[in-house]
Amino acid sequence: MKKAFKVGVVTLAAVFVLSACTSNNKSTDSGQQTNVSAEQVVKPWISSKNTTRVNTSDPVEAAVITSQSLWMATSKDNRPGSIILTDPNNWQNAVASADLIHHPSNGPILFVTKDGIPSTTVNEINRLQPKGVEINNGVQVILVGDLDQKVEDQAKDLGFKIDKVTGDNPAALAKAIDAYYTNLAGENPSSVIIGSMESQEYTMPAINWIAHMPEPLLYVKKDEVPQETIEALQTRDGNANIYILGPESVITAKVEKELQQYGNTVRISGKDPYANAIAFAQFKDNNTGFGWGITTPGHNFSFVSSDSPTLAIAGAPFSHLGKHAPLLWTSKDAMPESVMNYVMSLQPKFELSPTEGPYNHAWLIGSEDSISLKGQGEIDNMLEIVSKSGEGHENMPGMHH
């Protein structure tokens, strides 16, 4: 059963919340009383030695817990500049909005619904008290996408200065976000990611990168380049570095050829969504600096179940602050073989002592109904630093205590 965690105005010191408890005692054969149902502790975070779980599969709550993890809001220095509000049910808009996480916002994505701003989100906005972004005229909340008027009215009623970025379709919104960023940054990023607006699982890995770096996400269809995307590329004067994310089954060679007239194209792809995310995590263009290029130990990842892709949007800010993390897809109970092989290739190995490092870590976004405890244990084990000799801790000289 999914454990609901209702996030109020809290500080990170409140690491866990006690749920309502009931006790139903019954006698054993020996006549003793035993608790069948005892007080339970519902935790927003569950950590192992190498993993930290955002312990909810509700996207609204996951976005709030991610926000609490990164912006403690205990002082002006660790409060966000502004907050992005968007609807996770329109994944194309929500993914593209991540381009505003780093700049200008230095702030999280939080979620709204068609009915307005959920109380969970309202409480988090009030906790964060965004400072306002000076270069953006003090804006504290950016509404992204075609949101209901109720959302705008609620945001105004909270007393925050708001701005809006809208578009008639995902390609138009992505173009508008690109222009918004460029206007505030005073420069037009030469590199762009091209993703499919029709294939969420192949496009989603872009979200962690655009939350981390200035390159925007622009959209195409499988066999068509929308006019809005053409217009965004034309602002690069034929010198764009265009990174196409996904195989030809998702974005055709015809589209790639059409894109070549706007700059240099490079395709990053895998045969399935798992391999595609791995390819993106491994990729590095040394000429432009684009890409994670993670091929050695000592890194962090965000693991999201491929059955719960919206949670990747909630976890996108984990690539902006702290241990920056690319996205890897996994399954509920075990890593697919390709993911397992990739993670094993990054397992840290020490010569004499584990204190040598480096260390790996992973964020897991979702409760046990998304990624099971067994799945978490497997990921934790594969991230653990081990001896180059192959000896376990218990058999190493000097490790007997």
PDB file of all heavy atoms in Angstrom, residues 95-129:
ATOM      1  N   VAL A  95       8.907  19.238 -18.722  1.00  0.00           N
ATOM      2  CA  VAL A  95      10.310  18.913 -18.987  1.00  0.00           C
ATOM      3  C   VAL A  95      11.048  20.133 -19.528  1.00  0.00           C
ATOM      4  O   VAL A  95      12.153  20.471 -19.074  1.00  0.00           O
ATOM      5  CB  VAL A  95      10.422  17.722 -19.959  1.00  0.00           C
ATOM      6  CG1 VAL A  95      11.877  17.516 -20.397  1.00  0.00           C
ATOM      7  CG2 VAL A  95       9.900  16.445 -19.310  1.00  0.00           C
ATOM      8  N   ALA A  96      10.454  20.828 -20.485  1.00  0.00           N
ATOM      9  CA  ALA A  96      11.107  22.005 -21.058  1.00  0.00           C
ATOM     10  C   ALA A  96      11.331  23.095 -20.021  1.00  0.00           C
ATOM     11  O   ALA A  96      12.307  23.845 -20.095  1.00  0.00           O
ATOM     12  CB  ALA A  96      10.274  22.538 -22.224  1.00  0.00           C
ATOM     13  N   SER A  97      10.440  23.174 -19.021  1.00  0.00           N
ATOM     14  CA  SER A  97      10.553  24.222 -17.998  1.00  0.00           C
ATOM     15  C   SER A  97      11.807  24.091 -17.150  1.00  0.00           C
ATOM     16  O   SER A  97      12.245  25.062 -16.525  1.00  0.00           O
ATOM     17  CB  SER A  97       9.321  24.200 -17.089  1.00  0.00           C
ATOM     18  OG  SER A  97       9.365  23.124 -16.168  1.00  0.00           O
ATOM     19  N   ALA A  98      12.412  22.904 -17.127  1.00  0.00           N
ATOM     20  CA  ALA A  98      13.609  22.694 -16.306  1.00  0.00           C
ATOM     21  C   ALA A  98      14.777  23.561 -16.738  1.00  0.00           C
ATOM     22  O   ALA A  98      15.728  23.754 -15.976  1.00  0.00           O
ATOM     23  CB  ALA A  98      14.018  21.218 -16.335  1.00  0.00           C
ATOM     24  N   ASP A  99      14.716  24.109 -17.952  1.00  0.00           N
ATOM     25  CA  ASP A  99      15.775  25.011 -18.406  1.00  0.00           C
ATOM     26  C   ASP A  99      15.872  26.253 -17.530  1.00  0.00           C
ATOM     27  O   ASP A  99      16.899  26.943 -17.531  1.00  0.00           O
ATOM     28  CB  ASP A  99      15.527  25.411 -19.860  1.00  0.00           C
ATOM     29  CG  ASP A  99      16.725  26.109 -20.496  1.00  0.00           C
ATOM     30  OD1 ASP A  99      17.864  25.676 -20.244  1.00  0.00           O
ATOM     31  OD2 ASP A  99      16.519  27.089 -21.235  1.00  0.00           O
ATOM     32  N   LEU A 100      14.827  26.538 -16.752  1.00  0.00           N
ATOM     33  CA  LEU A 100      14.809  27.726 -15.900  1.00  0.00           C
ATOM     34  C   LEU A 100      15.201  27.422 -14.457  1.00  0.00           C
ATOM     35  O   LEU A 100      15.212  28.328 -13.618  1.00  0.00           O
ATOM     36  CB  LEU A 100      13.416  28.363 -15.939  1.00  0.00           C
ATOM     37  CG  LEU A 100      12.882  28.728 -17.338  1.00  0.00           C
ATOM     38  CD1 LEU A 100      11.470  29.280 -17.238  1.00  0.00           C
ATOM     39  CD2 LEU A 100      13.809  29.716 -18.035  1.00  0.00           C
ATOM     40  N   ILE A 101      15.512  26.159 -14.147  1.00  0.00           N
ATOM     41  CA  ILE A 101      15.873  25.791 -12.772  1.00  0.00           C
ATOM     42  C   ILE A 101      17.162  26.484 -12.339  1.00  0.00           C
ATOM     43  O   ILE A 101      17.224  27.144 -11.295  1.00  0.00           O
ATOM     44  CB  ILE A 101      16.008  24.260 -12.626  1.00  0.00           C
ATOM     45  CG1 ILE A 101      14.638  23.596 -12.684  1.00  0.00           C
ATOM     46  CG2 ILE A 101      16.709  23.889 -11.313  1.00  0.00           C
ATOM     47  CD1 ILE A 101      14.678  22.081 -12.634  1.00  0.00           C
ATOM     48  N   HIS A 102      18.211  26.335 -13.147  1.00  0.00           N
ATOM     49  CA  HIS A 102      19.504  26.901 -12.775  1.00  0.00           C
ATOM     50  C   HIS A 102      19.472  28.420 -12.914  1.00  0.00           C
ATOM     51  O   HIS A 102      19.759  29.156 -11.977  1.00  0.00           O
ATOM     52  CB  HIS A 102      20.610  26.289 -13.647  1.00  0.00           C
ATOM     53  CG  HIS A 102      21.985  26.735 -13.273  1.00  0.00           C
ATOM     54  ND1 HIS A 102      22.989  25.846 -12.945  1.00  0.00           N
ATOM     55  CD2 HIS A 102      22.538  27.968 -13.174  1.00  0.00           C
ATOM     56  CE1 HIS A 102      24.093  26.519 -12.658  1.00  0.00           C
ATOM     57  NE2 HIS A 102      23.845  27.813 -12.798  1.00  0.00           N
ATOM     58  N   HIS A 103      19.167  28.856 -14.125  1.00  0.00           N
ATOM     59  CA  HIS A 103      19.119  30.293 -14.396  1.00  0.00           C
ATOM     60  C   HIS A 103      17.816  30.581 -15.132  1.00  0.00           C
ATOM     61  O   HIS A 103      17.499  29.893 -16.104  1.00  0.00           O
ATOM     62  CB  HIS A 103      20.314  30.705 -15.270  1.00  0.00           C
ATOM     63  CG  HIS A 103      20.371  32.175 -15.544  1.00  0.00           C
ATOM     64  ND1 HIS A 103      20.924  33.061 -14.658  1.00  0.00           N
ATOM     65  CD2 HIS A 103      19.924  32.908 -16.578  1.00  0.00           C
ATOM     66  CE1 HIS A 103      20.833  34.287 -15.163  1.00  0.00           C
ATOM     67  NE2 HIS A 103      20.222  34.212 -16.319  1.00  0.00           N
ATOM     68  N   PRO A 104      17.046  31.516 -14.656  1.00  0.00           N
ATOM     69  CA  PRO A 104      17.368  32.499 -13.619  1.00  0.00           C
ATOM     70  C   PRO A 104      16.990  32.097 -12.204  1.00  0.00           C
ATOM     71  O   PRO A 104      17.315  32.817 -11.257  1.00  0.00           O
ATOM     72  CB  PRO A 104      16.485  33.678 -14.032  1.00  0.00           C
ATOM     73  CG  PRO A 104      15.249  33.020 -14.577  1.00  0.00           C
ATOM     74  CD  PRO A 104      15.753  31.804 -15.311  1.00  0.00           C
ATOM     75  N   SER A 105      16.320  30.939 -12.034  1.00  0.00           N
ATOM     76  CA  SER A 105      15.631  30.696 -10.769  1.00  0.00           C
ATOM     77  C   SER A 105      16.525  30.326  -9.593  1.00  0.00           C
ATOM     78  O   SER A 105      16.331  30.819  -8.489  1.00  0.00           O
ATOM     79  CB  SER A 105      14.576  29.600 -10.962  1.00  0.00           C
ATOM     80  OG  SER A 105      13.549  30.023 -11.825  1.00  0.00           O
ATOM     81  N   ASN A 106      17.508  29.425  -9.833  1.00  0.00           N
ATOM     82  CA  ASN A 106      18.122  28.731  -8.707  1.00  0.00           C
ATOM     83  C   ASN A 106      17.006  28.287  -7.761  1.00  0.00           C
ATOM     84  O   ASN A 106      17.003  28.579  -6.569  1.00  0.00           O
ATOM     85  CB  ASN A 106      19.142  29.596  -7.958  1.00  0.00           C
ATOM     86  CG  ASN A 106      19.771  28.847  -6.791  1.00  0.00           C
ATOM     87  OD1 ASN A 106      19.913  27.625  -6.831  1.00  0.00           O
ATOM     88  ND2 ASN A 106      20.108  29.561  -5.727  1.00  0.00           N
ATOM     89  N   GLY A 107      16.063  27.584  -8.339  1.00  0.00           N
ATOM     90  CA  GLY A 107      14.906  27.168  -7.558  1.00  0.00           C
ATOM     91  C   GLY A 107      14.249  25.942  -8.147  1.00  0.00           C
ATOM     92  O   GLY A 107      14.547  25.527  -9.272  1.00  0.00           O
ATOM     93  N   PRO A 108      13.328  25.336  -7.403  1.00  0.00           N
ATOM     94  CA  PRO A 108      12.737  24.057  -7.805  1.00  0.00           C
ATOM     95  C   PRO A 108      11.579  24.205  -8.780  1.00  0.00           C
ATOM     96  O   PRO A 108      11.019  25.287  -8.973  1.00  0.00           O
ATOM     97  CB  PRO A 108      12.223  23.501  -6.478  1.00  0.00           C
ATOM     98  CG  PRO A 108      11.816  24.733  -5.718  1.00  0.00           C
ATOM     99  CD  PRO A 108      12.856  25.779  -6.086  1.00  0.00           C
ATOM    100  N   ILE A 109      11.237  23.086  -9.402  1.00  0.00           N
ATOM    101  CA  ILE A 109       9.938  22.919 -10.053  1.00  0.00           C
ATOM    102  C   ILE A 109       8.968  22.389  -9.005  1.00  0.00           C
ATOM    103  O   ILE A 109       9.251  21.394  -8.328  1.00  0.00           O
ATOM    104  CB  ILE A 109      10.020  21.915 -11.217  1.00  0.00           C
ATOM    105  CG1 ILE A 109      10.846  22.463 -12.381  1.00  0.00           C
ATOM    106  CG2 ILE A 109       8.628  21.552 -11.707  1.00  0.00           C
ATOM    107  CD1 ILE A 109      11.026  21.470 -13.512  1.00  0.00           C
ATOM    108  N   LEU A 110       7.840  23.066  -8.853  1.00  0.00           N
ATOM    109  CA  LEU A 110       6.756  22.561  -8.021  1.00  0.00           C
ATOM    110  C   LEU A 110       5.516  22.424  -8.895  1.00  0.00           C
ATOM    111  O   LEU A 110       5.392  23.109  -9.916  1.00  0.00           O
ATOM    112  CB  LEU A 110       6.494  23.502  -6.842  1.00  0.00           C
ATOM    113  CG  LEU A 110       7.660  23.672  -5.858  1.00  0.00           C
ATOM    114  CD1 LEU A 110       7.291  24.676  -4.764  1.00  0.00           C
ATOM    115  CD2 LEU A 110       8.068  22.339  -5.232  1.00  0.00           C
ATOM    116  N   PHE A 111       4.589  21.567  -8.471  1.00  0.00           N
ATOM    117  CA  PHE A 111       3.501  21.182  -9.353  1.00  0.00           C
ATOM    118  C   PHE A 111       2.154  21.779  -8.959  1.00  0.00           C
ATOM    119  O   PHE A 111       1.834  21.940  -7.773  1.00  0.00           O
ATOM    120  CB  PHE A 111       3.379  19.664  -9.400  1.00  0.00           C
ATOM    121  CG  PHE A 111       4.539  18.983 -10.075  1.00  0.00           C
ATOM    122  CD1 PHE A 111       5.000  17.763  -9.622  1.00  0.00           C
ATOM    123  CD2 PHE A 111       5.172  19.565 -11.161  1.00  0.00           C
ATOM    124  CE1 PHE A 111       6.058  17.122 -10.255  1.00  0.00           C
ATOM    125  CE2 PHE A 111       6.230  18.940 -11.802  1.00  0.00           C
ATOM    126  CZ  PHE A 111       6.676  17.719 -11.341  1.00  0.00           C
ATOM    127  N   VAL A 112       1.380  22.072  -9.995  1.00  0.00           N
ATOM    128  CA  VAL A 112      -0.002  22.508  -9.844  1.00  0.00           C
ATOM    129  C   VAL A 112      -0.883  21.504 -10.575  1.00  0.00           C
ATOM    130  O   VAL A 112      -0.389  20.604 -11.259  1.00  0.00           O
ATOM    131  CB  VAL A 112      -0.207  23.921 -10.425  1.00  0.00           C
ATOM    132  CG1 VAL A 112       0.721  24.917  -9.744  1.00  0.00           C
ATOM    133  CG2 VAL A 112       0.025  23.944 -11.942  1.00  0.00           C
ATOM    134  N   THR A 113      -2.184  21.661 -10.434  1.00  0.00           N
ATOM    135  CA  THR A 113      -3.138  20.798 -11.127  1.00  0.00           C
ATOM    136  C   THR A 113      -4.137  21.678 -11.874  1.00  0.00           C
ATOM    137  O   THR A 113      -4.115  22.908 -11.777  1.00  0.00           O
ATOM    138  CB  THR A 113      -3.899  19.898 -10.141  1.00  0.00           C
ATOM    139  OG1 THR A 113      -4.803  20.716  -9.366  1.00  0.00           O
ATOM    140  CG2 THR A 113      -2.946  19.177  -9.189  1.00  0.00           C
ATOM    141  N   LYS A 114      -5.044  21.043 -12.573  1.00  0.00           N
ATOM    142  CA  LYS A 114      -6.074  21.794 -13.300  1.00  0.00           C
ATOM    143  C   LYS A 114      -6.999  22.528 -12.341  1.00  0.00           C
ATOM    144  O   LYS A 114      -7.709  23.465 -12.738  1.00  0.00           O
ATOM    145  CB  LYS A 114      -6.876  20.857 -14.195  1.00  0.00           C
ATOM    146  CG  LYS A 114      -7.599  19.745 -13.466  1.00  0.00           C
ATOM    147  CD  LYS A 114      -8.343  18.843 -14.441  1.00  0.00           C
ATOM    148  CE  LYS A 114      -9.016  17.677 -13.743  1.00  0.00           C
ATOM    149  NZ  LYS A 114     -10.017  18.071 -12.727  1.00  0.00           N
ATOM    150  N   ASP A 115      -6.986  22.127 -11.080  1.00  0.00           N
ATOM    151  CA  ASP A 115      -7.861  22.750 -10.080  1.00  0.00           C
ATOM    152  C   ASP A 115      -7.176  23.865  -9.299  1.00  0.00           C
ATOM    153  O   ASP A 115      -7.796  24.485  -8.436  1.00  0.00           O
ATOM    154  CB  ASP A 115      -8.379  21.689  -9.098  1.00  0.00           C
ATOM    155  CG  ASP A 115      -9.210  20.624  -9.785  1.00  0.00           C
ATOM    156  OD1 ASP A 115     -10.026  20.993 -10.650  1.00  0.00           O
ATOM    157  OD2 ASP A 115      -9.032  19.433  -9.470  1.00  0.00           O
ATOM    158  N   GLY A 116      -5.894  24.100  -9.555  1.00  0.00           N
ATOM    159  CA  GLY A 116      -5.197  25.159  -8.841  1.00  0.00           C
ATOM    160  C   GLY A 116      -3.898  24.668  -8.229  1.00  0.00           C
ATOM    161  O   GLY A 116      -3.291  23.702  -8.695  1.00  0.00           O
ATOM    162  N   ILE A 117      -3.455  25.355  -7.167  1.00  0.00           N
ATOM    163  CA  ILE A 117      -2.201  25.000  -6.494  1.00  0.00           C
ATOM    164  C   ILE A 117      -2.535  24.141  -5.284  1.00  0.00           C
ATOM    165  O   ILE A 117      -3.216  24.598  -4.355  1.00  0.00           O
ATOM    166  CB  ILE A 117      -1.435  26.259  -6.043  1.00  0.00           C
ATOM    167  CG1 ILE A 117      -1.241  27.231  -7.212  1.00  0.00           C
ATOM    168  CG2 ILE A 117      -0.089  25.870  -5.450  1.00  0.00           C
ATOM    169  CD1 ILE A 117      -0.546  28.533  -6.828  1.00  0.00           C
ATOM    170  N   PRO A 118      -2.072  22.887  -5.239  1.00  0.00           N
ATOM    171  CA  PRO A 118      -2.367  22.025  -4.091  1.00  0.00           C
ATOM    172  C   PRO A 118      -1.800  22.624  -2.804  1.00  0.00           C
ATOM    173  O   PRO A 118      -0.799  23.340  -2.821  1.00  0.00           O
ATOM    174  CB  PRO A 118      -1.660  20.710  -4.442  1.00  0.00           C
ATOM    175  CG  PRO A 118      -1.440  20.765  -5.915  1.00  0.00           C
ATOM    176  CD  PRO A 118      -1.259  22.201  -6.261  1.00  0.00           C
ATOM    177  N   SER A 119      -2.434  22.308  -1.699  1.00  0.00           N
ATOM    178  CA  SER A 119      -1.980  22.844  -0.408  1.00  0.00           C
ATOM    179  C   SER A 119      -0.549  22.422  -0.103  1.00  0.00           C
ATOM    180  O   SER A 119       0.211  23.185   0.517  1.00  0.00           O
ATOM    181  CB  SER A 119      -2.923  22.378   0.709  1.00  0.00           C
ATOM    182  OG  SER A 119      -2.960  20.960   0.791  1.00  0.00           O
ATOM    183  N   THR A 120      -0.170  21.238  -0.529  1.00  0.00           N
ATOM    184  CA  THR A 120       1.199  20.767  -0.326  1.00  0.00           C
ATOM    185  C   THR A 120       2.189  21.710  -1.007  1.00  0.00           C
ATOM    186  O   THR A 120       3.230  22.060  -0.435  1.00  0.00           O
ATOM    187  CB  THR A 120       1.360  19.343  -0.890  1.00  0.00           C
ATOM    188  OG1 THR A 120       0.426  18.477  -0.254  1.00  0.00           O
ATOM    189  CG2 THR A 120       2.760  18.817  -0.662  1.00  0.00           C
ATOM    190  N   THR A 121       1.873  22.118  -2.214  1.00  0.00           N
ATOM    191  CA  THR A 121       2.735  23.055  -2.933  1.00  0.00           C
ATOM    192  C   THR A 121       2.695  24.435  -2.295  1.00  0.00           C
ATOM    193  O   THR A 121       3.733  25.097  -2.151  1.00  0.00           O
ATOM    194  CB  THR A 121       2.303  23.130  -4.412  1.00  0.00           C
ATOM    195  OG1 THR A 121       2.430  21.845  -5.016  1.00  0.00           O
ATOM    196  CG2 THR A 121       3.158  24.127  -5.186  1.00  0.00           C
ATOM    197  N   VAL A 122       1.522  24.890  -1.913  1.00  0.00           N
ATOM    198  CA  VAL A 122       1.395  26.197  -1.253  1.00  0.00           C
ATOM    199  C   VAL A 122       2.262  26.252  -0.006  1.00  0.00           C
ATOM    200  O   VAL A 122       2.987  27.234   0.233  1.00  0.00           O
ATOM    201  CB  VAL A 122      -0.081  26.488  -0.893  1.00  0.00           C
ATOM    202  CG1 VAL A 122      -0.187  27.722   0.014  1.00  0.00           C
ATOM    203  CG2 VAL A 122      -0.907  26.696  -2.143  1.00  0.00           C
ATOM    204  N   ASN A 123       2.207  25.210   0.804  1.00  0.00           N
ATOM    205  CA  ASN A 123       2.992  25.180   2.037  1.00  0.00           C
ATOM    206  C   ASN A 123       4.491  25.260   1.745  1.00  0.00           C
ATOM    207  O   ASN A 123       5.238  25.919   2.469  1.00  0.00           O
ATOM    208  CB  ASN A 123       2.684  23.912   2.829  1.00  0.00           C
ATOM    209  CG  ASN A 123       1.287  23.924   3.434  1.00  0.00           C
ATOM    210  OD1 ASN A 123       0.685  24.986   3.612  1.00  0.00           O
ATOM    211  ND2 ASN A 123       0.763  22.751   3.735  1.00  0.00           N
ATOM    212  N   GLU A 124       4.903  24.594   0.676  1.00  0.00           N
ATOM    213  CA  GLU A 124       6.325  24.620   0.346  1.00  0.00           C
ATOM    214  C   GLU A 124       6.752  25.998  -0.164  1.00  0.00           C
ATOM    215  O   GLU A 124       7.835  26.484   0.184  1.00  0.00           O
ATOM    216  CB  GLU A 124       6.656  23.535  -0.676  1.00  0.00           C
ATOM    217  CG  GLU A 124       8.114  23.490  -1.112  1.00  0.00           C
ATOM    218  CD  GLU A 124       9.105  23.197   0.011  1.00  0.00           C
ATOM    219  OE1 GLU A 124       8.677  22.961   1.169  1.00  0.00           O
ATOM    220  OE2 GLU A 124      10.322  23.213  -0.267  1.00  0.00           O
ATOM    221  N   ILE A 125       5.917  26.635  -0.972  1.00  0.00           N
ATOM    222  CA  ILE A 125       6.244  27.984  -1.435  1.00  0.00           C
ATOM    223  C   ILE A 125       6.384  28.923  -0.238  1.00  0.00           C
ATOM    224  O   ILE A 125       7.327  29.735  -0.161  1.00  0.00           O
ATOM    225  CB  ILE A 125       5.163  28.507  -2.403  1.00  0.00           C
ATOM    226  CG1 ILE A 125       5.097  27.651  -3.658  1.00  0.00           C
ATOM    227  CG2 ILE A 125       5.451  29.962  -2.787  1.00  0.00           C
ATOM    228  CD1 ILE A 125       3.924  27.989  -4.566  1.00  0.00           C
ATOM    229  N   ASN A 126       5.478  28.807   0.719  1.00  0.00           N
ATOM    230  CA  ASN A 126       5.538  29.653   1.908  1.00  0.00           C
ATOM    231  C   ASN A 126       6.773  29.361   2.755  1.00  0.00           C
ATOM    232  O   ASN A 126       7.350  30.252   3.361  1.00  0.00           O
ATOM    233  CB  ASN A 126       4.265  29.497   2.731  1.00  0.00           C
ATOM    234  CG  ASN A 126       3.079  30.207   2.108  1.00  0.00           C
ATOM    235  OD1 ASN A 126       3.236  31.251   1.481  1.00  0.00           O
ATOM    236  ND2 ASN A 126       1.881  29.642   2.262  1.00  0.00           N
ATOM    237  N   ARG A 127       7.169  28.089   2.802  1.00  0.00           N
ATOM    238  CA  ARG A 127       8.396  27.749   3.539  1.00  0.00           C
ATOM    239  C   ARG A 127       9.618  28.343   2.860  1.00  0.00           C
ATOM    240  O   ARG A 127      10.516  28.887   3.506  1.00  0.00           O
ATOM    241  CB  ARG A 127       8.542  26.227   3.648  1.00  0.00           C
ATOM    242  CG  ARG A 127       9.771  25.780   4.481  1.00  0.00           C
ATOM    243  CD  ARG A 127      10.025  24.285   4.347  1.00  0.00           C
ATOM    244  NE  ARG A 127      10.584  23.941   3.047  1.00  0.00           N
ATOM    245  CZ  ARG A 127      11.894  24.004   2.755  1.00  0.00           C
ATOM    246  NH1 ARG A 127      12.774  24.411   3.651  1.00  0.00           N
ATOM    247  NH2 ARG A 127      12.311  23.665   1.552  1.00  0.00           N
ATOM    248  N   LEU A 128       9.676  28.231   1.541  1.00  0.00           N
ATOM    249  CA  LEU A 128      10.850  28.676   0.789  1.00  0.00           C
ATOM    250  C   LEU A 128      11.002  30.192   0.790  1.00  0.00           C
ATOM    251  O   LEU A 128      12.127  30.700   0.805  1.00  0.00           O
ATOM    252  CB  LEU A 128      10.755  28.181  -0.660  1.00  0.00           C
ATOM    253  CG  LEU A 128      10.922  26.681  -0.882  1.00  0.00           C
ATOM    254  CD1 LEU A 128      10.525  26.327  -2.315  1.00  0.00           C
ATOM    255  CD2 LEU A 128      12.356  26.248  -0.604  1.00  0.00           C
ATOM    256  N   GLN A 129       9.879  30.912   0.742  1.00  0.00           N
ATOM    257  CA  GLN A 129       9.922  32.374   0.655  1.00  0.00           C
ATOM    258  C   GLN A 129      10.962  32.831  -0.366  1.00  0.00           C
ATOM    259  O   GLN A 129      11.986  33.443  -0.031  1.00  0.00           O
ATOM    260  CB  GLN A 129      10.222  32.987   2.030  1.00  0.00           C
ATOM    261  CG  GLN A 129       9.061  32.902   3.009  1.00  0.00           C
ATOM    262  CD  GLN A 129       7.867  33.739   2.542  1.00  0.00           C
ATOM    263  OE1 GLN A 129       7.978  34.939   2.281  1.00  0.00           O
ATOM    264  NE2 GLN A 129       6.717  33.089   2.424  1.00  0.00           N
TER     265      GLN A 129
END
